[in-house]
Amino acid sequence: MAIAQLSHSIRIHKASKETIFPSQITNEHESLIMVKKLFATSISCITYLRGLFPESSYGERHLEDLSLKILREDKKSPGSLHIIKWIQGCFDALEKRYLHMAILTLYPNPKEPEKVTEIYQFKFKYTKEGVTMDFDSSSTSIGSGTKSEHIKKASILLLRKLYILMQNLGPLPNDVILTMKLHYYNAVTPHDYQPPGFKQGVNSHILLFEGEPVNLQVGVVSTGFHSMKVKVITEATRVSDLEDNLFLENSITEIAHQGLDCDEEEEECNHQIQRTSIAHSQQSSESTRKKRKVSEPVKLFIPDRK
């Protein structure tokens, strides 16, 4: 029996005295707190709006006119406890400045983990340069003296776009498998490092989509010490009603055959994302790339979502 996809509107509230993010960012510690909270809030938004866990697994916080659902410990929902542990593991890697990418992946068949339906990519950089913010694929550079208010606005815009995207994606299968892989900066990460909740992962298979995969650029928030870039990859037919210029680099027909986001100097990022019918011709190129250290948790099965 089909399960209706959860769809929650962004509700308008009076200003709350509570704030999710730090009121100011003047040093690396405050920046780290900001990035941690933005990452956890983003994961919470995704899992809530995709209907992965029950209402009891979330608390409510307000950010200006946004009503946000934030994951909390819920013993009635073991799956949500796993996700919280994953987030805490990411925090450990962020604190050590090891984490390069956290990739949240959903797929329907436990016997075919390479055939995915949605990918959420969070890419991190560590810097002490001036702030650069990229909201909608057009870069806006701001000097090192940027006020925290600008960073707050960038964060709110990123979350707004994430909410809009979640509400426009097609429904997930009734049963889904959820996993998260962590990629590291090899040059600084110890070979035997594994954050809490993670184990050594496999960094070899190709990710496949049944239809044409498309890149959806959600946004970048930079503080001058850290930056977090959010990107979603899914099938183009599942977002056919989305405004072309809101998320896509060019248009809804912009197909992502190059794989997960990599800097030009980071070609060792070996994940490739392909349509199933053409993927096999690309597999030979994977072995020629330098493999990045990867961690993964125990995969989480979420049956018959309600």
Side-chain angles (χ1 to χ4, degrees):
M1 180 177 68
I3 303 297
Q5 179 66 34
L6 286 180
S7 178
H8 300 269
S9 299
I10 298 175
R11 298 190 291 274
I12 306 299
H13 293 266
K14 293 181 179 180
S16 171
K17 293 182 180 179
E18 289 186 300
T19 179
I20 293 178
F21 303 125
S23 58
Q24 61 178 1
I25 299 174
T26 59
N27 56 53
E28 188 172 354
H29 176 69
E30 292 170 348
S31 172
L32 178 62
I33 293 174
M34 167 73 188
V35 172
K36 283 182 177 180
K37 290 189 173 183
L38 183 58
F39 174 66
T41 301
S42 300
I43 295 291
S44 297
C45 291
I46 292 167
T47 59
Y48 181 73
L49 290 169
R50 300 309 278 145
L52 298 183
F53 305 117
E55 188 81 22
S56 60
S57 299
Y58 300 87
E60 187 171 34
R61 298 291 297 273
H62 301 155
L63 180 61
E64 295 205 346
D65 62 343
L66 289 177
S67 176
L68 302 172
K69 296 291 186 176
I70 309 297
L71 277 164
R72 62 184 177 187
E73 293 187 355
D74 179 13
K75 295 182 179 180
K76 296 179 181 179
S77 175
S80 64
L81 295 178
H82 280 291
I83 295 292
I84 290 173
K85 289 181 180 178
W86 296 359
I87 293 173
Q88 291 170 342
C90 292
F91 287 176
D92 185 83
L94 280 169
E95 290 169 2
K96 294 177 170 64
R97 299 169 66 92
Y98 295 162
L99 186 60
H100 175 235
M101 287 191 290
I103 303 167
L104 190 70
T105 304
L106 284 78
Y107 58 96
N109 189 344
K111 296 182 180 180
E112 297 180 310
E114 74 281 359
K115 294 184 179 180
V116 299
T117 183
E118 291 176 11
I119 299 172
Y120 299 88
Q121 176 187 294
F122 299 83
K123 181 178 179 182
F124 301 94
K125 289 186 177 181
Y126 312 89
T127 179
K128 293 185 178 180
E129 300 175 356
V131 176
T132 300
M133 289 182 283
D134 181 2
F135 308 145
D136 54 1
S137 302
S138 58
S139 297
T140 303
S141 297
I142 303 177
S144 58
T146 301
K147 294 182 179 179
S148 300
E149 186 64 25
H150 291 154
I151 301 170
K152 179 181 177 181
K153 288 180 179 179
S155 303
I156 292 173
L157 182 55
L158 185 149
L159 292 172
R160 285 185 188 278
K161 291 176 70 174
L162 195 57
Y163 263 65
I164 292 170
L165 176 56
M166 294 301 98
Q167 292 172 331
N168 281 274
L169 283 176
L172 288 169
N174 287 353
D175 299 338
V176 293
I177 311 295
L178 185 66
T179 190
M180 177 183 283
K181 285 196 174 184
L182 306 186
H183 295 241
Y184 303 95
Y185 287 100
N186 285 353
V188 296
T189 307
H191 179 71
D192 60 350
Y193 171 75
Q194 299 296 339
F198 288 80
K199 61 182 180 179
Q200 183 174 351
V202 177
N203 190 15
S204 59
H205 64 72
I206 292 177
L207 302 179
L208 310 175
F209 283 94
E210 290 293 337
E212 294 287 3
V214 61
N215 283 331
L216 304 170
Q217 307 294 337
V218 180
V220 176
V221 174
S222 298
T223 67
F225 299 93
H226 302 83
S227 72
M228 187 182 87
K229 181 177 182 180
V230 183
K231 177 178 177 181
V232 178
I233 308 172
T234 188
E235 295 175 24
T237 55
R238 301 183 66 230
V239 289
S240 57
D241 295 332
L242 207 59
E243 292 183 40
D244 290 0
N245 60 356
L246 186 60
F247 294 94
L248 304 182
E249 291 176 315
N250 292 317
S251 69
I252 196 69
T253 57
E254 177 77 14
I255 304 304
H257 290 315
Q258 74 277 15
L260 295 181
D261 186 39
C262 301
D263 292 334
E264 291 182 2
E265 71 274 13
E266 295 169 345
E267 287 301 315
E268 71 271 20
C269 181
N270 72 307
H271 274 270
Q272 296 180 36
I273 299 174
Q274 302 288 341
R275 185 173 180 174
T276 303
S277 61
I278 65 174
H280 299 292
S281 64
Q282 304 292 332
Q283 291 181 6
S284 61
S285 65
E286 183 184 11
S287 61
T288 63
R289 297 171 182 261
K290 181 181 177 182
K291 289 182 173 58
R292 183 179 293 278
K293 175 178 167 57
V294 174
S295 296
E296 62 184 2
V298 175
K299 295 176 177 61
L300 179 61
F301 176 57
I302 306 176
D304 196 23
R305 299 167 299 107
K306 297 182 179 180

